[in-house]
Amino acid sequence: CVLSCELNIITEDMLSSHISRLPAHFMTLKEIELASRTKYIQNVLSFTGGNVSHAANILKIDRRTIQRLRKHSSQK
């Protein structure tokens, strides 16, 4: 594009379809792991009707871990 572009601006329609489909921002591995973990915990909490202790027993984690993750995700 840079070599063949006659304008000062390269627009999306000048890019190949493969490049133009790429997201503008990729999440870090840490961000995607946290998002995945948070979503899974939300699913288990939904299954338990919001009962944190029951969800913690299912997940084999301390209930404070769930509370900490929920607090962390709500601050974003």
Side-chain angles (χ1 to χ4, degrees), residues 4-50:
S4 63
C5 182
E6 296 177 11
L7 304 171
N8 290 335
I9 299 173
I10 297 174
T11 61
E12 185 175 334
D13 61 308
M14 295 176 185
L15 301 174
S16 74
S17 61
H18 174 72
I19 293 173
S20 62
R21 285 192 313 254
L22 292 175
H25 168 73
F26 289 94
M27 294 173 73
T28 66
L29 187 56
K30 192 172 207 166
E31 289 171 329
I32 196 70
E33 287 173 344
L34 179 60
S36 177
R37 189 175 330 133
T38 301
K39 179 66 176 166
Y40 188 70
I41 289 171
Q42 288 172 343
N43 289 340
V44 174
L45 282 167
S46 178
F47 173 78
T48 65

